[in-house]
Amino acid sequence: MKTLASMKTLARLGTLSALSALTPSLAFAHSGGSHVHGLFAGLEHPLFGMDHPLAMVAVGMIGARAGGRSVVLVPLFFVSAMVAGALLGMAGIGLPSLETGIALSLVVFGVMVGLARPLPLAAAAALTALFGLFHGNAHGLEIPESVSDIAYAAGFVLGTSILHAIGALSVLKLASWPLPVRTAGIATSLVGMAMAAQTF
């Protein structure tokens, strides 16, 4: 019953994320144009590369493992901090040791997923928000000049939310078999360590 309720919550979150992400693009008076390209560019951006998809799926896993309202709040803290970091990047402000911070996020998120017991909500939210700043900042600095900033950001938030939902659903589906989830966490940490080693 609890799993069913969590899945309904995720479905609602996904629907709201999709609607909120699409709303800015609908506000334009004409169809087509840079805002459409910006939306799709933002939507696909989190899906490429290894670091961002792994981190965002892991955030969904962390929230689902913590259970209850954490399944929504942990990803929400991450996305909120990511948006703040992206705004800094759009303003031309880059965080120090950006690539190292992103690599370390994989290490930390992987450990959080791999723990025998999930972290309390406050600790999980604080850590995911901290690293959300780094991920958002990297994307804010990378926004192409040829696309609409608002549409790109909306697509990026939607893509991120989808990855969070995938992570959370995988944990809920594998609730009776926690070993694959914890193994995925360890693998994520190892990838992060390899990436961190390249930044030094």
Side-chain angles (χ1 to χ4, degrees):
M1 185 68 71
K2 185 177 179 181
T3 301
L4 181 60
S6 298
M7 291 180 72
K8 286 182 178 178
T9 301
L10 276 176
R12 290 190 189 111
L13 177 63
T15 302
L16 288 173
S17 296
L19 290 174
S20 63
L22 292 173
T23 299
S25 67
L26 296 175
F28 288 87
H30 58 279
S31 59
S34 64
H35 64 280
V36 172
H37 298 299
L39 178 69
F40 286 109
L43 181 61
E44 69 182 3
H45 195 90
L47 305 178
F48 292 102
M50 186 180 293
D51 51 350
H52 300 297
L54 283 177
M56 293 171 192
V57 168
V59 169
M61 289 181 161
I62 292 165
R65 287 201 68 217
R69 57 185 183 152
S70 298
V71 72
V72 173
L73 290 179
V74 169
L76 185 61
F77 272 90
F78 180 91
V79 170
S80 298
M82 183 188 72
V83 169
L87 290 173
L88 289 174
M90 290 180 189
I93 302 171
L95 296 176
S97 304
L98 187 57
E99 292 302 320
T100 302
I102 290 173
L104 289 177
S105 74
L106 294 183
V107 176
V108 173
F109 290 167
V111 168
M112 292 168 72
V113 172
L115 290 173
R117 294 184 179 180
L119 289 178
L121 172 58
L127 286 169
T128 53
L130 170 65
F131 289 114
L133 277 172
F134 283 89
H135 283 271
N137 191 238
H139 290 293
L141 292 168
E142 294 169 355
I143 292 180
E145 293 182 5
S146 59
V147 304
S148 162
D149 289 350
I150 294 175
Y152 183 94
F156 183 68
V157 168
L158 176 59
T160 299
S161 299
I162 291 170
L163 291 170
H164 289 335
I166 290 171
L169 286 172
S170 67
V171 170
L172 296 175
K173 288 289 187 181
L174 296 170
S176 301
W177 300 280
L179 184 58
V181 172
R182 296 180 63 189
T183 301
I186 294 169
T188 298
S189 283
L190 291 175
V191 171
M193 289 177 188
M195 291 177 60
Q198 295 176 7
T199 65
F200 292 113

